[in-house]
Amino acid sequence: MPRYRLDIEYDGTPFHGWQKQADGPTVQGALQDALVAYCGVNTVVHGAGRTDSGVHAFGQVAHIDLPETRAPDQIRDALNFHLRPLPVVVLRARPVPASFDARFSAVRRAYRYLIENRRAPTAIHTNRRWQVPRPLDVDAMAHAASHFLGHHDFTTFRAAGCQAKSPMRTVDHCTVTREGDLITIDVRARSFLHAQVRSMAGSLKMVGEGRWAADEIAVALAARDRKRCGPVAPACGLYFMQVDYPDAV
């Protein structure tokens, strides 16, 4: 049974997250419905990351198994045809070995959080960025972000209902930069806990407002207590950017 990798982009605003569920539209569900419409195959679309309701993606990766070989460009174009008018697009489809697993073969995932930092509300980026009217100190946020680097117990920065067996995660990259009114938080790790990046972003915003000292991030990490986390940032500003694999697939 041939396996294909799909590179996917979507606007998460109208969806109840990635994972298919009975009580609302999801990205996975939309893709599986498009597959049925395309070739009559009822198969699971296995994603690299289970994004939450309202979270967007530029670089989600998934794999599917089809009963027969099909041209990758045909798969892409047919799925995109049947996905309309939903804001989900298959950017590329390509054949991969049967050993490839979009989730378990991944060695690194990258997320980006966007903050619109200005007093005036946004007319263009509604549901695309977190609009924060109070001026934020990006230098303080960048210093605070450095405390997330390395291997830590992220109990403080994961959702109470997170089902991961271990709270231990290794963050390889965490930066905060500004360009005009736009503040960008970039985070990379092999894997993330539920709501980890949004929890980190919300606490960094506290630092930017001067409500926390930069070193308070280290204190919160060491506490291993969800109650020590700052307010969780809204889903609208979060983007799943990229998934890296050990082989060129």
Side-chain angles (χ1 to χ4, degrees):
M1 182 172 286
R3 177 164 292 188
Y4 295 88
R5 166 179 167 166
L6 306 179
D7 291 10
I8 306 161
E9 176 181 282
Y10 53 85
D11 173 359
T13 305
F15 297 107
H16 293 191
W18 165 267
Q19 191 167 7
K20 187 174 182 179
Q21 50 190 274
D23 60 351
T26 67
V27 181
Q28 184 188 46
L31 286 160
Q32 291 177 182
D33 289 346
L35 273 167
V36 172
Y38 161 47
C39 57
V41 175
N42 192 356
T43 187
V44 177
V45 179
H46 300 272
R50 298 175 182 176
T51 53
D52 288 339
S53 177
V55 175
H56 317 296
F58 283 119
Q60 173 72 279
V61 175
H63 77 261
I64 57 172
D65 294 322
L66 298 180
E68 60 185 28
T69 301
R70 293 176 181 257
D73 287 353
Q74 180 192 81
I75 295 172
R76 178 199 61 205
D77 295 345
L79 289 179
N80 287 336
F81 175 82
H82 291 292
L83 284 164
R84 297 172 185 165
L86 296 174
V88 184
V89 172
V90 177
L91 302 173
R92 286 171 295 278
R94 70 189 86 169
V96 290
S99 59
F100 173 81
D101 187 290
R103 180 182 177 189
F104 295 109
S105 299
V107 296
R108 188 173 294 102
R109 294 166 173 84
Y111 281 88
R112 174 169 291 173
Y113 198 91
L114 300 181
I115 298 174
E116 187 80 12
N117 188 211
R118 69 183 193 191
R119 183 67 181 174
T122 177
I124 304 298
H125 300 296
T126 303
N127 295 324
R128 305 291 187 281
R129 299 175 183 177
W130 183 14
Q131 202 264 327
V132 177
R134 186 172 178 176
L136 298 178
D137 183 341
V138 173
D139 290 338
M141 293 172 69
H143 173 63
S146 67
H147 291 298
F148 288 124
L149 294 172
H151 190 62
H152 301 288
D153 182 326
F154 277 91
T155 295
T156 301
F157 297 93
R158 72 164 173 171
C162 178
Q163 297 179 356
K165 293 181 180 179
S166 171
M168 305 302 296
R169 290 295 183 272
T170 302
V171 172
D172 303 316
H173 177 93
C174 189
T175 59
V176 184
T177 57
R178 178 192 284 275
E179 184 174 349
D181 294 328
L182 178 63
I183 295 175
T184 301
I185 302 170
D186 281 312
V187 189
R188 293 198 296 265
R190 184 183 183 96
S191 63
F192 291 89
L193 300 165
H194 186 194
Q196 181 180 340
V197 177
R198 290 170 56 203
S199 298
M200 292 164 63
S203 294
L204 289 173
K205 181 243 192 186
M206 296 281 284
V207 173
E209 290 179 327
R211 297 167 65 185
W212 281 15
D215 291 344
E216 187 68 21
I217 294 292
V219 175
L221 264 174
R224 299 190 293 277
D225 181 355
R226 181 61 176 167
K227 295 177 182 178
R228 297 298 298 272
C229 183
V232 178
C236 63
L238 185 59
Y239 295 78
F240 191 10
M241 297 299 295
Q242 182 177 329
V243 190
D244 295 332
Y245 296 94
D247 301 313
V249 294

